[in-house]
Amino acid sequence: MEFDLKFDYVKEDKRFNPDQYREIVKKYDKMLVDGTGLGHEFLGWMHYASSISQDFIDAINKKAKYFRDNFDTFVICGIGGSYLGSRAVIEAINGIYSQDKMKIIYLGQTLDSNYTTQVIDYLKTRNFCVCVISKSGTTTETSIAFRILKEMLENKLGKEKAKDAIVAVTDKEKGALRTLANREGYTTFELPGNIGGRYSVISAVGLFPIAVAGINIQEFINGFIEGEKMFGSDDIDKNPAYQYACQKNTLYKLGYKVEFAVTYEPRLAMLNEWAKQLFDESNGKEDKGLLIMSSVFTTDLHSIGQFIQEGSKILFETVLTFKNPNKDIEIPFDKEDLDGLNYIAGKKLSFVCEKAHQGTTIAHAFNGNVPNISLQIDKLTPETLGAYMYFSMKACAMGGYLLGINPFNQPGVEVYKRNMFHLLGKKGY
Ligand code: PA5
């Protein structure tokens, strides 16, 4: 796998100095490996992929096949770390307008009544099954959505048959969803207690939905295992994940408080949403942290491109590219050439996109003084995606330690929940 992280478009004076980070990176790596740093109780993701058994993969694939053979629509019911990872992978691999026989629908990630009602009305016309995912088992958005879905399935199929159309992914023992799933006799998969939501895509949280979407989970797991090796060194010169973390840390200290995760592919928009959650929820603490935003170019060059080029110098870009497109299309020749496009007739669209990318990088990095980190991977496959996700998780963990915070908790998220529960009149709030 080609995995090419470059800092060519970060000007010399803003580039990280490996010598300044060498010792500290070794120290923090040891804390991650030994489990002695902040949040050490949530390090299960680090070697989870290489510990997955064939029996576990078979069990996931078996139930996924049952869903694919017996239903035409699959509802993924979860929020945050319990849905973003699988959605990121499914949309990246299958595309946004997938022609796969299984239609994928998302619910439980919003409290919006308009969205929820529209999904429910749509599901009335479909033969659907559900995977409900919640580590805590008590998340309001997910619980409300699942209560509605469960009732719909039971009314349609009867209680016994409805069971076969439901899978729950939750904690082994704790939480309301575990109690409910045990009581109802659903097929369940466990979310290991030592893996937090945003690091959980490699567990059943990600693997089961990804398998139902018809994607080869063995390849995805292989990518994670490859990631464990590629990004396993404590030597900054040999570990791109740590180089990335240190470059970000350097820019942060120079006053760049926002990172734009950029892609030129709309199918990767959800991958960026996943990265946003991973980095922002992990590192935005104690009045510190780099804010990750995301952008799909060239689309956004026609909206926020102006700000990037000439606005406040608060941001830098990290551009993720998969070099070889899975699909391509040629620009047709037109006799009349009224649109003036014949100068590129016969060229592939990917060629035009590449030129737009090069032109943008130069414009932003040199004319705009916006540092630009580039990550190029040869091709988008379940395997390269798995390696990329592991790379991000490792960079995120190191980035958190470099900031002196715990990258594995999210105390701030509870504040709005307490207010909401109080306003809703929940007991104890
Ligand atoms: O990363 C996290 O921990 C969060 O985003 C959670 O995944 C999210 O809040 C959903 O929580 P739960 O899985 O408990 O329903």
Side-chain angles (χ1 to χ4, degrees), residues 79-82 133-137 139 197-198 277 281 410 417:
I79 192 167
S82 285
I133 309 166
S134 178
K135 182 173 182 177
S136 62
T139 299
R198 57 193 176 275
Q277 186 202 1
E281 201 168 40
Q410 55 286 328
K417 290 187 194 167

Side-chain angles (χ1 to χ4, degrees), residues 124-263:
K124 284 179 188 156
T125 67
R126 310 288 298 185
N127 175 23
F128 73 94
C129 55
V130 175
C131 178
V132 54
I133 309 166
S134 178
K135 182 173 182 177
S136 62
T138 53
T139 299
T140 311
E141 291 87 340
T142 309
S143 304
I144 292 175
F146 183 61
R147 182 183 276 214
I148 295 168
L149 292 167
K150 177 176 180 290
E151 186 187 53
M152 276 179 84
L153 281 172
E154 288 177 353
N155 288 344
K156 189 167 83 164
L157 304 172
K159 211 163 166 58
E160 265 320 293
K161 283 212 164 130
K163 277 183 200 173
D164 295 335
I166 295 171
V167 163
V169 182
T170 188
D171 186 85
K172 196 169 160 191
E173 290 157 358
K174 293 191 300 249
L177 181 57
R178 169 53 63 189
T179 312
L180 177 72
N182 286 351
R183 174 95 51 91
E184 300 286 350
Y186 300 149
T187 298
T188 60
F189 294 106
E190 287 164 20
L191 201 169
N194 61 356
I195 301 184
R198 57 193 176 275
Y199 293 83
S200 70
V201 64
I202 187 57
S203 73
V205 170
L207 294 180
F208 182 69
I210 292 169
V212 179
I215 296 165
N216 186 325
I217 55 167
Q218 182 65 68
E219 285 179 24
F220 183 64
I221 295 166
N222 290 346
F224 258 79
I225 296 174
E226 193 58 28
E228 289 181 21
K229 293 179 206 144
M230 284 167 72
F231 314 114
S233 173
D234 68 350
D235 180 348
I236 191 168
D237 295 329
K238 296 192 184 129
N239 191 332
Y242 290 168
Q243 291 164 17
Y244 178 44
C246 293
Q247 180 61 74
K248 278 151 64 101
N249 185 264
T250 300
L251 289 168
Y252 173 72
K253 286 186 184 151
L254 286 170
Y256 293 93
K257 303 292 188 213
V258 183
E259 174 181 16
F260 261 71
V262 174
T263 173

